[in-house]
Amino acid sequence: MMTRIVRRDEIFAVLGPFLRDMTTEEVAEEAQRRGIVVTPINTPADILVDEHLLQRGALCDAEVAPGVRASVPIGFVEFDGVRLGHRMRAPFVGEHDGQLSWDPLPTMPSSAPAPAGGPLAGMRVLDFGQGRSRRTVWPRLR
């Protein structure tokens, strides 16, 4: 991974002319066709019109401010038919004054034993993901 970051100018010089007239979707499709892992990084505007997310019901119309409605993500993950995302409107300024505390949460005594095993005990977990700390933008991608 570091080699790609350090040599990105060289990589862009080679791939730029090939990719510059392609949309992000076209780049991803071409990469998949060639067996290369490429994952598009959508902007918030892209997410709101993404056909896949719309078909999967991952967006809903919600009140985001008094009298203002907008399409918002309701969770990209679904467990047992329930999306884990937007549940209610944002609070009004001062709505929860006096209900919240900045006091530190109580901690467990250091002598308490750690839970044995954890939630995935006995399961084999394979992670094929790859994370990046910053976004790569190709010049003149539509």
Side-chain angles (χ1 to χ4, degrees), residues 77-90:
V77 177
E78 185 177 308
F79 290 101
D80 297 329
V82 177
R83 291 220 175 256
L84 305 176
H86 179 79
R87 295 281 182 267
M88 64 191 75
R89 65 168 173 75

Side-chain angles (χ1 to χ4, degrees), residues 13-32:
V14 172
L15 293 179
F18 177 71
L19 299 175
R20 81 171 30 105
D21 295 325
M22 299 172 79
T23 65
T24 301
E25 284 181 0
E26 290 169 339
V27 170
E29 288 171 9
E30 182 64 21
Q32 286 179 352

Side-chain angles (χ1 to χ4, degrees), residues 24 30 59 77 103 115 122 126 132:
T24 301
E30 182 64 21
L59 302 168
V77 177
D103 294 334
L126 301 176
R132 293 191 338 194

Side-chain angles (χ1 to χ4, degrees), residues 53-73:
L53 297 177
L54 292 170
Q55 290 295 320
R56 295 278 299 138
L59 302 168
C60 76
D61 180 66
E63 184 175 33
V64 295
V68 178
R69 300 192 70 79
S71 185
V72 298

